[in-house]
Amino acid sequence: MKKIAVIGAGKWGQALAYALRQKCEVVITSRTERDIPGFVSLDAAMEIENIVMAIPAQAVREWLGKHYGMGDHNILVAAKGIEAETGAFLNEIYEAFVPRTHLTYLSGPSFAKEVMEGLPTALVLNSHNRLAATAWSEAFPDFIKTYVSTDVIGAEIGGAYKNVIAIAGGICDGLKLGENARASLIARGLVEMARFGREFGANEETFLSLSGAGDLFLTASSKLSRNFRVGLGLAEGKTLDEILEELGEVAEGVGTAKALHTIAKTNDIYLPIANEVYAILEGKDPMESLKDLLNNRRR
Ligand SMILES: NC(=O)C1=CN([C@@H]2O[C@H](COP(=O)(O)OP(=O)(O)OC[C@H]3O[C@@H](n4cnc5c(N)ncnc54)[C@H](OP(=O)(O)O)[C@@H]3O)[C@@H](O)[C@H]2O)C=CC1
Ligand SMILES: O=C(CO)COP(=O)(O)O
C-alpha cells in the first residue's frame, strides 16, 4: 500500500495520517481547509485507491450520498458509532456504496493524542476479506501493533458500545461515586456489549480483547475521552448543548445511545446501562438513574 488518502482531518484523521506517513505517502482532506502536511482537495484525494474514512459515524450516509458513487476504492473505516436515526451499523451503510471485499474497519483502544505522540498502541483491522485487512495492517508503523480479524460486526459493536458506557463512566466520576462503582459499571457494560453483540452474530471473543474490553477500559476511565467528558458535564448538570459546545469535537456515544435505545426496544434486548445513558441524555436526573440501576432486579 504505497499511497493513502485520509478523509476527515479531525483529531483521528490527523493522527492516522501521522501514523501511516511513517511507511506510506499520505494526503489528507476535509470540509474545512487546514494548513497541515499533505492537505489536498477532495477530488485529488479521491484519485487515490486507498482511502481512510475518518468522518464521524453520523455523517457517513450523507457524505457517501453526496461524494461517492458506486466505487471500488480500498476503504478503511475509522469511525466508531451506530447511526442514531436508523440504528444502522456502518457496515450496512458502506456496503450500499462499496463492495464488502473492499471494506476494512479499524478498532481498538487508541486515543488520537497518544498516536500523535508515537506511543505504543494496538489496533485491529477487521474485514470480511482477510487479504484487505492484512494489506491495511502492513501500512501501520512499528509503534502500532496490528491484529487482523474477520469479525466486522463484533468490532463495530465494541467500538460503538464502549462510547455509551464511557458517558456512564464520566457520569459516575462526576457524581464522585467511587472506584467500586466505576469498576462495576465497566464490567456490567462489557456484559451488556456482549449481550448486544450476540444478537447480531458477533464472536464473543472479540469483546474480551482490544475491540471490546480494551477500548472500553480505555475510554470509560479517562478524561482523554470526549465521551467520558460528556458524562462529566452531565453529572455537573450542564445541558448537552453546553457540553458539546465546550467540547468542540465529536462524541459518538450521544448518537449511538439513541441508536441502542431504538434497537433494544425493537428487538427486546436488555440494555439497562445504555438505556439509562439515553434517558439521562434526554434529561433524566443521573441520581434517579443510579437508583434505578441499583434497584432493578433483572440480571
Ligand atoms: N479522537 C480519537 O481519539 C479517536 C476517534 N475515533 C473516531 O473517529 C471518528 C472521528 O473522530 P475525531 O476525528 O476524533 O472527531 P473530530 O471532532 O476531531 O473531527 C471530526 C471530523 O469530521 C469532519 N466532519 C464532521 N461532520 C462532517 C460532515 N457532516 N461531513 C464531512 N465531514 C465532517 C470534520 O470536518 P471539518 O473539521 O473539516 O469541518 C472533522 O474533520 C469518530 O467516529 C471517532 O469515534 C476513533 C479512535 C480514536
Ligand atoms: O475511540 C476512542 C479511543 O479508542 C476515542 O474515544 P472518544 O471518542 O471518547 O474520545
Side-chain angles (χ1 to χ4, degrees):
M1 198 165 276
K2 287 288 162 267
K3 223 174 160 186
I4 296 170
V6 176
I7 295 181
K11 290 292 188 309
W12 195 215
Q14 292 194 44
L16 288 172
Y18 164 76
L20 294 165
R21 198 168 278 135
Q22 311 305 309
K23 289 167 77 172
C24 307
E25 189 186 333
V26 179
V27 296
I28 187 167
T29 191
S30 204
R31 276 184 314 190
T32 311
E33 191 161 344
R34 288 170 170 79
D35 179 17
I36 55 177
F39 195 91
V40 299
S41 69
L42 176 58
D43 288 348
M46 296 302 284
E47 292 293 312
I48 295 168
E49 187 186 9
N50 308 303
I51 290 185
V52 176
M53 287 295 289
I55 63 172
Q58 305 306 328
V60 165
R61 189 187 297 273
E62 181 201 15
W63 192 94
L64 290 172
K66 217 153 81 180
H67 302 295
Y68 199 88
M70 285 309 290
D72 57 2
H73 292 80
N74 296 316
I75 292 185
L76 177 60
V77 177
K80 297 174 178 177
I82 305 173
E83 191 174 58
E85 288 322 307
T86 64
F89 294 114
L90 289 180
N91 71 75
E92 297 171 300
I93 300 171
Y94 273 100
E95 286 182 15
F97 294 85
V98 186
R100 64 163 39 183
T101 52
H102 288 245
L103 289 166
T104 300
Y105 300 78
L106 188 60
S107 63
S110 50
F111 285 137
K113 177 178 181 295
E114 295 194 354
V115 169
M116 286 296 262
E117 293 164 0
L119 294 177
T121 299
L123 292 173
V124 190
L125 284 301
N126 308 273
S127 177
H128 294 291
N129 175 0
R130 190 172 274 279
L131 289 176
T134 304
W136 279 108
S137 72
E138 289 164 358
F140 280 84
D142 295 341
F143 74 86
I144 295 182
K145 178 160 181 53
T146 55
Y147 297 80
V148 169
S149 163
T150 56
D151 186 14
V152 167
I153 192 60
E156 270 207 76
I157 288 171
Y161 213 108
K162 63 92 184 173
N163 284 329
V164 178
I165 306 301
I167 292 174
I171 293 170
C172 184
D173 272 27
L175 295 176
K176 300 188 179 4
L177 299 178
E179 306 298 320
N180 296 354
R182 175 156 28 81
S184 309
L185 180 74
I186 291 174
R188 294 305 303 173
L190 186 57
V191 168
E192 251 183 58
M193 179 196 284
R195 178 184 299 141
F196 183 77
R198 268 197 300 279
E199 295 286 324
F200 297 95
N203 176 348
E204 293 232 4
E205 210 173 282
T206 299
F207 301 116
L208 295 177
S209 187
L210 296 165
S211 304
D215 210 356
L216 174 62
F217 295 161
L218 176 85
T219 314
S221 44
S222 170
K223 287 191 178 132
L224 280 180
S225 157
R226 284 79 56 93
N227 289 285
F228 187 89
R229 299 206 296 272
V230 165
L232 288 175
L234 291 167
E236 287 167 39
K238 290 180 183 171
T239 67
L240 185 56
D241 287 347
E242 286 167 344
I243 295 165
L244 295 177
E245 178 68 29
E246 273 172 43
L247 200 57
E249 295 174 39
V250 78
E252 291 276 21
V254 175
T256 298
K258 178 171 182 200
L260 292 176
H261 175 77
T262 306
I263 297 170
K265 206 159 54 177
T266 312
N267 299 280
D268 188 23
I269 310 170
Y270 181 51
L271 307 178
I273 301 172
N275 274 322
E276 286 304 331
V277 169
Y278 175 70
I280 293 168
L281 288 167
E282 291 291 299
K284 184 174 178 181
D285 177 346
M287 286 309 287
E288 280 308 303
S289 281
L290 173 68
K291 280 190 205 124
D292 292 344
L293 282 172
L294 286 173
N295 296 328
N296 81 9
R297 287 288 158 244
R298 253 185 84 169
R299 287 286 174 265

